[in-house]
Amino acid sequence: MNGELNSRPVAKNELRLVSRLRLDEAQAAALLRAMREGNASRRAVVLSPRAPVDYTPPFLCAARSAFPWLPERVWLPADEATPTACEDYARGMYYVLDLSSCWEGAALSALTEPPRRSIDLCAAPGGKTLLLAAQFPLHDHTANEVHAARRGILRHNVELCGLSNTRVTGLRPDQWAESGKKFDLLLVDAPCSGQSLLCKGIKNPGCLGASAVQGNAKRQRGIMLCAVRCAAPGAHLLYTTCTYDPEENERVIAYILRRVPGWRAVEIPALAPFRSSLCDFPAYRLLPHHGAGAGGFCCLLRETESPES
Ligand SMILES: C[S@@+](CC[C@H](N)C(=O)[O-])C[C@H]1O[C@@H](n2cnc3c(N)ncnc32)[C@H](O)[C@@H]1O
């Protein structure tokens, strides 16, 4: 970068991010432009269990061919469509998300069998739980959210969207770790610095700063250390964020793989084109200029050491 983008100086924190991501000049400029312009958001609609198998949304949808990884019960509203204005939205037939959340949810396509006992540890407002329900029947699912107000929204969405076999809880990750309960699928959609919010035009001051990134990374490592303690033999753990900095992504996973024996990151064939070049294990990152929403990170871990796994 020559220190300028569209005749505005590139800030120190912006430069720090693109150099940590080891982007070439064109990619760096594309990322910074997306963060400054704030219009990289792209909507997607996830059908809920209320929608019959042959349901088609009551609004115009775009072709899905550019997104081969898109889970089946996810549709792409056309630019002019207003899915949240339709009666079916109020009836809980579908839920609206940024396409990058669906990209993260597509990691679940690598599961070898439907989970018997699953938990979404950071669940509100419920997007990842809905993406799970769109791909597998929920047998025994826990949607957990520590913040009471957000838990209320989560409970509302779980009920509205007709998620069966799902309980809403509010324990902290360390309380789950102490509980002795075990799950064969854990979702950790971690609280993060939310750098991708900038690409959706949402103000998020300080999200590029070292203290926000380091503070979030510390919290993420703590949540993950608790999550692995809730894993049944052979369990899968999907870690996702909506931020770009490697400290909150690849380095959190590297820390867990170093600290906790018996875990490995597994390949997600559907996301192969997005494999991160910042680590030597399979992890995936989406950037706004990939054209699938604001961006994110995902890595699927598997417990492999227990005799039963
Ligand atoms: C990225 S959001 C989850 C979004 C949700 N999975 C979805 O797809 O709709 C992260 C969630 O983690 C919760 N959270 C914040 N601090 C936490 C902590 N220390 N442990 C667990 N969850 C936390 C936040 O309240 C927030 O709801």
Side-chain angles (χ1 to χ4, degrees):
M1 303 246 73
N2 63 6
E4 247 190 29
L5 182 73
N6 293 355
S7 53
R8 253 179 63 197
V10 176
K12 212 169 84 197
N13 282 340
E14 291 178 317
L15 262 185
R16 178 173 160 273
L17 175 66
V18 294
S19 82
R20 283 154 81 83
L21 290 174
R22 296 191 217 138
L23 298 179
D24 64 31
E25 186 129 350
Q27 291 172 323
L31 175 60
L32 296 185
R33 203 171 300 117
M35 289 198 293
R36 288 173 175 203
E37 291 173 357
N39 57 9
S41 189
R42 169 117 201 222
R43 292 167 309 167
V45 155
V46 186
L47 301 191
S48 80
R50 284 208 192 286
V53 223
D54 56 355
Y55 179 85
T56 45
F59 46 80
L60 195 63
C61 285
R64 6 171 333 130
S65 48
F67 310 104
W69 41 263
L70 207 59
E72 263 199 18
R73 283 171 66 81
V74 179
W75 292 70
L76 297 171
D79 288 344
E80 61 274 31
T82 50
T84 51
C86 299
E87 203 184 307
D88 279 3
Y89 176 68
R91 291 166 59 209
M93 290 287 194
Y94 54 81
Y95 187 74
V96 182
L97 286 165
D98 188 72
L99 182 53
S100 47
S101 294
C102 301
W103 174 87
E104 292 172 353
L108 296 170
S109 64
L111 295 188
T112 43
E113 54 190 53
R116 284 157 306 178
R117 217 159 177 228
S118 48
I119 184 166
D120 185 348
L121 267 174
C122 315
K128 293 296 183 305
T129 280
L130 273 152
L131 280 160
L132 174 64
Q135 295 174 77
F136 296 102
L138 299 181
H139 291 303
D140 178 351
H141 183 67
T142 299
N144 182 74
E145 170 56 47
V146 285
H147 286 280
R150 289 177 62 83
R151 197 181 316 131
I153 302 166
L154 172 66
R155 185 168 285 119
H156 169 83
N157 285 334
V158 164
E159 283 165 14
L160 181 69
C161 294
L163 296 183
S164 52
N165 304 325
T166 299
R167 72 185 69 76
V168 174
T169 58
L171 297 189
R172 295 189 313 268
D174 61 297
Q175 292 174 310
W176 278 112
E178 288 302 313
S179 74
K181 297 244 169 26
K182 302 290 177 200
F183 301 88
D184 57 11
L185 175 65
L186 301 108
L187 306 181
V188 174
D189 191 22
C192 65
S193 58
Q195 291 163 348
S196 74
L197 296 182
L198 299 178
C199 298
K200 299 184 192 175
I202 300 170
K203 290 203 167 33
N204 188 7
C207 69
L208 299 176
S211 67
V213 168
Q214 282 159 17
N216 276 291
K218 184 168 177 220
R219 178 165 59 168
Q220 290 150 355
R221 293 193 296 266
I223 294 173
M224 287 291 278
L225 285 175
C226 295
V228 293
R229 289 175 59 197
C230 302
H236 284 94
L237 192 173
L238 177 61
Y239 178 79
T240 50
T241 73
C242 64
T243 207
Y244 309 125
D245 200 294
E247 188 81 23
E248 296 183 61
N249 294 314
E250 287 87 349
R251 288 193 205 148
V252 171
I253 302 297
Y255 171 85
I256 293 298
L257 294 177
R258 216 171 39 242
R259 276 284 300 265
V260 190
W263 286 83
R264 67 180 172 86
V266 299
E267 306 275 352
I268 305 171
L271 302 185
F274 302 94
R275 183 154 172 167
S276 169
S277 57
L278 302 178
C279 55
D280 56 8
F281 48 80
Y284 302 86
R285 40 170 68 249
L286 178 76
L287 290 171
H289 51 273
H290 293 138
F297 173 87
C298 67
C299 182
L300 185 65
L301 299 176
R302 181 153 204 202
E303 198 280 340
T304 54
E305 200 155 79
S306 310
E308 301 104 293
S309 52

PDB file of all heavy atoms in Angstrom, residues 257-282:
ATOM      1  N   LEU A 257      -5.176 -26.034  19.727  1.00  0.00           N
ATOM      2  CA  LEU A 257      -4.519 -27.267  19.255  1.00  0.00           C
ATOM      3  C   LEU A 257      -3.222 -27.527  20.043  1.00  0.00           C
ATOM      4  O   LEU A 257      -2.850 -28.664  20.284  1.00  0.00           O
ATOM      5  CB  LEU A 257      -4.213 -27.175  17.751  1.00  0.00           C
ATOM      6  CG  LEU A 257      -5.451 -27.114  16.836  1.00  0.00           C
ATOM      7  CD1 LEU A 257      -5.030 -26.949  15.375  1.00  0.00           C
ATOM      8  CD2 LEU A 257      -6.330 -28.345  17.001  1.00  0.00           C
ATOM      9  N   ARG A 258      -2.568 -26.424  20.443  1.00  0.00           N
ATOM     10  CA  ARG A 258      -1.330 -26.553  21.221  1.00  0.00           C
ATOM     11  C   ARG A 258      -1.619 -26.964  22.664  1.00  0.00           C
ATOM     12  O   ARG A 258      -0.950 -27.795  23.241  1.00  0.00           O
ATOM     13  CB  ARG A 258      -0.649 -25.178  21.201  1.00  0.00           C
ATOM     14  CG  ARG A 258       0.845 -25.228  21.139  1.00  0.00           C
ATOM     15  CD  ARG A 258       1.493 -23.875  20.902  1.00  0.00           C
ATOM     16  NE  ARG A 258       0.903 -22.745  21.585  1.00  0.00           N
ATOM     17  CZ  ARG A 258       0.366 -21.699  20.963  1.00  0.00           C
ATOM     18  NH1 ARG A 258       0.328 -21.655  19.653  1.00  0.00           N
ATOM     19  NH2 ARG A 258      -0.139 -20.688  21.660  1.00  0.00           N
ATOM     20  N   ARG A 259      -2.666 -26.352  23.226  1.00  0.00           N
ATOM     21  CA  ARG A 259      -2.950 -26.537  24.658  1.00  0.00           C
ATOM     22  C   ARG A 259      -3.735 -27.801  24.980  1.00  0.00           C
ATOM     23  O   ARG A 259      -3.622 -28.338  26.086  1.00  0.00           O
ATOM     24  CB  ARG A 259      -3.798 -25.342  25.156  1.00  0.00           C
ATOM     25  CG  ARG A 259      -3.036 -24.096  25.551  1.00  0.00           C
ATOM     26  CD  ARG A 259      -2.359 -24.225  26.893  1.00  0.00           C
ATOM     27  NE  ARG A 259      -3.263 -24.483  28.010  1.00  0.00           N
ATOM     28  CZ  ARG A 259      -3.765 -23.562  28.788  1.00  0.00           C
ATOM     29  NH1 ARG A 259      -3.479 -22.296  28.587  1.00  0.00           N
ATOM     30  NH2 ARG A 259      -4.557 -23.887  29.787  1.00  0.00           N
ATOM     31  N   VAL A 260      -4.596 -28.227  24.030  1.00  0.00           N
ATOM     32  CA  VAL A 260      -5.515 -29.318  24.356  1.00  0.00           C
ATOM     33  C   VAL A 260      -5.188 -30.527  23.478  1.00  0.00           C
ATOM     34  O   VAL A 260      -5.428 -30.497  22.272  1.00  0.00           O
ATOM     35  CB  VAL A 260      -6.987 -28.893  24.120  1.00  0.00           C
ATOM     36  CG1 VAL A 260      -7.938 -29.929  24.696  1.00  0.00           C
ATOM     37  CG2 VAL A 260      -7.268 -27.515  24.693  1.00  0.00           C
ATOM     38  N   PRO A 261      -4.664 -31.599  24.071  1.00  0.00           N
ATOM     39  CA  PRO A 261      -4.323 -32.753  23.243  1.00  0.00           C
ATOM     40  C   PRO A 261      -5.568 -33.436  22.696  1.00  0.00           C
ATOM     41  O   PRO A 261      -6.639 -33.339  23.282  1.00  0.00           O
ATOM     42  CB  PRO A 261      -3.586 -33.687  24.217  1.00  0.00           C
ATOM     43  CG  PRO A 261      -3.781 -33.140  25.581  1.00  0.00           C
ATOM     44  CD  PRO A 261      -4.361 -31.767  25.490  1.00  0.00           C
ATOM     45  N   GLY A 262      -5.414 -34.080  21.556  1.00  0.00           N
ATOM     46  CA  GLY A 262      -6.501 -34.923  21.038  1.00  0.00           C
ATOM     47  C   GLY A 262      -7.456 -34.211  20.099  1.00  0.00           C
ATOM     48  O   GLY A 262      -8.452 -34.792  19.691  1.00  0.00           O
ATOM     49  N   TRP A 263      -7.183 -32.972  19.745  1.00  0.00           N
ATOM     50  CA  TRP A 263      -8.053 -32.264  18.808  1.00  0.00           C
ATOM     51  C   TRP A 263      -7.298 -31.997  17.516  1.00  0.00           C
ATOM     52  O   TRP A 263      -6.090 -31.752  17.518  1.00  0.00           O
ATOM     53  CB  TRP A 263      -8.529 -30.928  19.393  1.00  0.00           C
ATOM     54  CG  TRP A 263      -9.577 -31.113  20.448  1.00  0.00           C
ATOM     55  CD1 TRP A 263      -9.354 -31.409  21.764  1.00  0.00           C
ATOM     56  CD2 TRP A 263     -10.996 -31.042  20.270  1.00  0.00           C
ATOM     57  NE1 TRP A 263     -10.557 -31.519  22.418  1.00  0.00           N
ATOM     58  CE2 TRP A 263     -11.591 -31.302  21.535  1.00  0.00           C
ATOM     59  CE3 TRP A 263     -11.830 -30.784  19.183  1.00  0.00           C
ATOM     60  CZ2 TRP A 263     -12.971 -31.307  21.721  1.00  0.00           C
ATOM     61  CZ3 TRP A 263     -13.211 -30.788  19.380  1.00  0.00           C
ATOM     62  CH2 TRP A 263     -13.770 -31.053  20.636  1.00  0.00           C
ATOM     63  N   ARG A 264      -8.043 -32.048  16.396  1.00  0.00           N
ATOM     64  CA  ARG A 264      -7.439 -31.625  15.123  1.00  0.00           C
ATOM     65  C   ARG A 264      -8.474 -30.846  14.325  1.00  0.00           C
ATOM     66  O   ARG A 264      -9.688 -31.014  14.548  1.00  0.00           O
ATOM     67  CB  ARG A 264      -6.887 -32.818  14.351  1.00  0.00           C
ATOM     68  CG  ARG A 264      -7.928 -33.763  13.850  1.00  0.00           C
ATOM     69  CD  ARG A 264      -7.322 -34.942  13.076  1.00  0.00           C
ATOM     70  NE  ARG A 264      -8.339 -35.922  12.770  1.00  0.00           N
ATOM     71  CZ  ARG A 264      -9.129 -35.878  11.699  1.00  0.00           C
ATOM     72  NH1 ARG A 264      -8.994 -34.909  10.818  1.00  0.00           N
ATOM     73  NH2 ARG A 264     -10.062 -36.795  11.502  1.00  0.00           N
ATOM     74  N   ALA A 265      -7.980 -30.023  13.435  1.00  0.00           N
ATOM     75  CA  ALA A 265      -8.886 -29.281  12.550  1.00  0.00           C
ATOM     76  C   ALA A 265      -9.162 -30.163  11.348  1.00  0.00           C
ATOM     77  O   ALA A 265      -8.249 -30.832  10.843  1.00  0.00           O
ATOM     78  CB  ALA A 265      -8.228 -27.986  12.105  1.00  0.00           C
ATOM     79  N   VAL A 266     -10.428 -30.198  10.912  1.00  0.00           N
ATOM     80  CA  VAL A 266     -10.765 -31.086   9.790  1.00  0.00           C
ATOM     81  C   VAL A 266     -11.074 -30.284   8.525  1.00  0.00           C
ATOM     82  O   VAL A 266     -11.520 -29.131   8.595  1.00  0.00           O
ATOM     83  CB  VAL A 266     -11.930 -32.053  10.133  1.00  0.00           C
ATOM     84  CG1 VAL A 266     -11.564 -32.959  11.294  1.00  0.00           C
ATOM     85  CG2 VAL A 266     -13.213 -31.315  10.437  1.00  0.00           C
ATOM     86  N   GLU A 267     -10.852 -30.927   7.400  1.00  0.00           N
ATOM     87  CA  GLU A 267     -11.109 -30.295   6.095  1.00  0.00           C
ATOM     88  C   GLU A 267     -12.607 -30.079   5.917  1.00  0.00           C
ATOM     89  O   GLU A 267     -13.413 -30.935   6.300  1.00  0.00           O
ATOM     90  CB  GLU A 267     -10.641 -31.195   4.950  1.00  0.00           C
ATOM     91  CG  GLU A 267      -9.197 -31.660   5.012  1.00  0.00           C
ATOM     92  CD  GLU A 267      -8.241 -30.636   4.411  1.00  0.00           C
ATOM     93  OE1 GLU A 267      -8.720 -29.636   3.811  1.00  0.00           O
ATOM     94  OE2 GLU A 267      -7.021 -30.835   4.551  1.00  0.00           O
ATOM     95  N   ILE A 268     -12.949 -28.987   5.273  1.00  0.00           N
ATOM     96  CA  ILE A 268     -14.342 -28.744   4.888  1.00  0.00           C
ATOM     97  C   ILE A 268     -14.332 -28.642   3.362  1.00  0.00           C
ATOM     98  O   ILE A 268     -14.063 -27.566   2.797  1.00  0.00           O
ATOM     99  CB  ILE A 268     -14.877 -27.432   5.520  1.00  0.00           C
ATOM    100  CG1 ILE A 268     -14.696 -27.473   7.039  1.00  0.00           C
ATOM    101  CG2 ILE A 268     -16.348 -27.209   5.148  1.00  0.00           C
ATOM    102  CD1 ILE A 268     -14.980 -26.153   7.739  1.00  0.00           C
ATOM    103  N   PRO A 269     -14.558 -29.762   2.671  1.00  0.00           N
ATOM    104  CA  PRO A 269     -14.381 -29.751   1.206  1.00  0.00           C
ATOM    105  C   PRO A 269     -15.192 -28.646   0.524  1.00  0.00           C
ATOM    106  O   PRO A 269     -14.697 -28.013  -0.420  1.00  0.00           O
ATOM    107  CB  PRO A 269     -14.844 -31.146   0.783  1.00  0.00           C
ATOM    108  CG  PRO A 269     -14.651 -32.002   2.012  1.00  0.00           C
ATOM    109  CD  PRO A 269     -14.897 -31.108   3.185  1.00  0.00           C
ATOM    110  N   ALA A 270     -16.401 -28.380   0.992  1.00  0.00           N
ATOM    111  CA  ALA A 270     -17.243 -27.367   0.327  1.00  0.00           C
ATOM    112  C   ALA A 270     -16.594 -25.976   0.359  1.00  0.00           C
ATOM    113  O   ALA A 270     -16.892 -25.133  -0.492  1.00  0.00           O
ATOM    114  CB  ALA A 270     -18.616 -27.315   0.996  1.00  0.00           C
ATOM    115  N   LEU A 271     -15.724 -25.746   1.346  1.00  0.00           N
ATOM    116  CA  LEU A 271     -15.122 -24.407   1.477  1.00  0.00           C
ATOM    117  C   LEU A 271     -13.657 -24.375   1.021  1.00  0.00           C
ATOM    118  O   LEU A 271     -12.952 -23.382   1.272  1.00  0.00           O
ATOM    119  CB  LEU A 271     -15.244 -23.921   2.934  1.00  0.00           C
ATOM    120  CG  LEU A 271     -16.673 -23.833   3.504  1.00  0.00           C
ATOM    121  CD1 LEU A 271     -16.656 -23.218   4.902  1.00  0.00           C
ATOM    122  CD2 LEU A 271     -17.598 -23.004   2.597  1.00  0.00           C
ATOM    123  N   ALA A 272     -13.225 -25.415   0.334  1.00  0.00           N
ATOM    124  CA  ALA A 272     -11.812 -25.518  -0.061  1.00  0.00           C
ATOM    125  C   ALA A 272     -11.247 -24.243  -0.716  1.00  0.00           C
ATOM    126  O   ALA A 272     -10.119 -23.836  -0.422  1.00  0.00           O
ATOM    127  CB  ALA A 272     -11.607 -26.728  -0.962  1.00  0.00           C
ATOM    128  N   PRO A 273     -12.014 -23.549  -1.588  1.00  0.00           N
ATOM    129  CA  PRO A 273     -11.433 -22.352  -2.217  1.00  0.00           C
ATOM    130  C   PRO A 273     -11.129 -21.215  -1.231  1.00  0.00           C
ATOM    131  O   PRO A 273     -10.469 -20.255  -1.590  1.00  0.00           O
ATOM    132  CB  PRO A 273     -12.526 -21.902  -3.206  1.00  0.00           C
ATOM    133  CG  PRO A 273     -13.437 -23.075  -3.375  1.00  0.00           C
ATOM    134  CD  PRO A 273     -13.351 -23.872  -2.116  1.00  0.00           C
ATOM    135  N   PHE A 274     -11.620 -21.352  -0.016  1.00  0.00           N
ATOM    136  CA  PHE A 274     -11.455 -20.265   0.959  1.00  0.00           C
ATOM    137  C   PHE A 274     -10.409 -20.599   2.024  1.00  0.00           C
ATOM    138  O   PHE A 274     -10.335 -19.937   3.045  1.00  0.00           O
ATOM    139  CB  PHE A 274     -12.797 -19.981   1.651  1.00  0.00           C
ATOM    140  CG  PHE A 274     -13.892 -19.610   0.702  1.00  0.00           C
ATOM    141  CD1 PHE A 274     -14.759 -20.568   0.202  1.00  0.00           C
ATOM    142  CD2 PHE A 274     -14.050 -18.292   0.302  1.00  0.00           C
ATOM    143  CE1 PHE A 274     -15.767 -20.228  -0.683  1.00  0.00           C
ATOM    144  CE2 PHE A 274     -15.057 -17.945  -0.584  1.00  0.00           C
ATOM    145  CZ  PHE A 274     -15.916 -18.909  -1.081  1.00  0.00           C
ATOM    146  N   ARG A 275      -9.634 -21.656   1.777  1.00  0.00           N
ATOM    147  CA  ARG A 275      -8.695 -22.109   2.821  1.00  0.00           C
ATOM    148  C   ARG A 275      -7.714 -20.995   3.197  1.00  0.00           C
ATOM    149  O   ARG A 275      -7.137 -20.334   2.327  1.00  0.00           O
ATOM    150  CB  ARG A 275      -7.964 -23.346   2.337  1.00  0.00           C
ATOM    151  CG  ARG A 275      -7.056 -23.872   3.417  1.00  0.00           C
ATOM    152  CD  ARG A 275      -6.790 -25.307   3.299  1.00  0.00           C
ATOM    153  NE  ARG A 275      -5.766 -25.634   4.290  1.00  0.00           N
ATOM    154  CZ  ARG A 275      -5.448 -26.835   4.656  1.00  0.00           C
ATOM    155  NH1 ARG A 275      -6.075 -27.855   4.151  1.00  0.00           N
ATOM    156  NH2 ARG A 275      -4.505 -27.047   5.553  1.00  0.00           N
ATOM    157  N   SER A 276      -7.529 -20.811   4.463  1.00  0.00           N
ATOM    158  CA  SER A 276      -6.626 -19.758   4.943  1.00  0.00           C
ATOM    159  C   SER A 276      -5.183 -20.134   4.673  1.00  0.00           C
ATOM    160  O   SER A 276      -4.773 -21.271   4.901  1.00  0.00           O
ATOM    161  CB  SER A 276      -6.819 -19.563   6.456  1.00  0.00           C
ATOM    162  OG  SER A 276      -5.796 -18.740   6.961  1.00  0.00           O
ATOM    163  N   SER A 277      -4.419 -19.145   4.215  1.00  0.00           N
ATOM    164  CA  SER A 277      -2.996 -19.393   3.984  1.00  0.00           C
ATOM    165  C   SER A 277      -2.184 -18.958   5.208  1.00  0.00           C
ATOM    166  O   SER A 277      -0.964 -18.920   5.173  1.00  0.00           O
ATOM    167  CB  SER A 277      -2.537 -18.620   2.752  1.00  0.00           C
ATOM    168  OG  SER A 277      -2.821 -17.249   2.964  1.00  0.00           O
ATOM    169  N   LEU A 278      -2.875 -18.602   6.281  1.00  0.00           N
ATOM    170  CA  LEU A 278      -2.171 -18.082   7.455  1.00  0.00           C
ATOM    171  C   LEU A 278      -1.890 -19.150   8.496  1.00  0.00           C
ATOM    172  O   LEU A 278      -1.451 -18.840   9.606  1.00  0.00           O
ATOM    173  CB  LEU A 278      -2.982 -16.956   8.100  1.00  0.00           C
ATOM    174  CG  LEU A 278      -3.304 -15.754   7.193  1.00  0.00           C
ATOM    175  CD1 LEU A 278      -4.139 -14.731   7.935  1.00  0.00           C
ATOM    176  CD2 LEU A 278      -2.011 -15.113   6.692  1.00  0.00           C
ATOM    177  N   CYS A 279      -2.221 -20.408   8.181  1.00  0.00           N
ATOM    178  CA  CYS A 279      -1.957 -21.476   9.152  1.00  0.00           C
ATOM    179  C   CYS A 279      -1.744 -22.776   8.394  1.00  0.00           C
ATOM    180  O   CYS A 279      -2.099 -22.874   7.213  1.00  0.00           O
ATOM    181  CB  CYS A 279      -3.123 -21.605  10.140  1.00  0.00           C
ATOM    182  SG  CYS A 279      -4.711 -21.859   9.351  1.00  0.00           S
ATOM    183  N   ASP A 280      -1.199 -23.781   9.111  1.00  0.00           N
ATOM    184  CA  ASP A 280      -0.933 -25.040   8.416  1.00  0.00           C
ATOM    185  C   ASP A 280      -2.012 -26.087   8.692  1.00  0.00           C
ATOM    186  O   ASP A 280      -1.836 -27.255   8.392  1.00  0.00           O
ATOM    187  CB  ASP A 280       0.475 -25.556   8.762  1.00  0.00           C
ATOM    188  CG  ASP A 280       0.648 -25.716  10.257  1.00  0.00           C
ATOM    189  OD1 ASP A 280      -0.356 -25.584  10.993  1.00  0.00           O
ATOM    190  OD2 ASP A 280       1.795 -25.973  10.693  1.00  0.00           O
ATOM    191  N   PHE A 281      -3.121 -25.693   9.309  1.00  0.00           N
ATOM    192  CA  PHE A 281      -4.245 -26.615   9.500  1.00  0.00           C
ATOM    193  C   PHE A 281      -5.418 -26.058   8.698  1.00  0.00           C
ATOM    194  O   PHE A 281      -5.418 -24.881   8.320  1.00  0.00           O
ATOM    195  CB  PHE A 281      -4.588 -26.738  11.004  1.00  0.00           C
ATOM    196  CG  PHE A 281      -4.708 -25.416  11.713  1.00  0.00           C
ATOM    197  CD1 PHE A 281      -5.870 -24.645  11.615  1.00  0.00           C
ATOM    198  CD2 PHE A 281      -3.647 -24.919  12.475  1.00  0.00           C
ATOM    199  CE1 PHE A 281      -5.968 -23.433  12.264  1.00  0.00           C
ATOM    200  CE2 PHE A 281      -3.744 -23.690  13.127  1.00  0.00           C
ATOM    201  CZ  PHE A 281      -4.914 -22.950  13.016  1.00  0.00           C
ATOM    202  N   PRO A 282      -6.435 -26.904   8.404  1.00  0.00           N
ATOM    203  CA  PRO A 282      -7.558 -26.390   7.620  1.00  0.00           C
ATOM    204  C   PRO A 282      -8.422 -25.400   8.400  1.00  0.00           C
ATOM    205  O   PRO A 282      -9.014 -25.745   9.424  1.00  0.00           O
ATOM    206  CB  PRO A 282      -8.351 -27.647   7.246  1.00  0.00           C
ATOM    207  CG  PRO A 282      -7.803 -28.752   8.066  1.00  0.00           C
ATOM    208  CD  PRO A 282      -6.498 -28.352   8.656  1.00  0.00           C
TER     209      PRO A 282
END
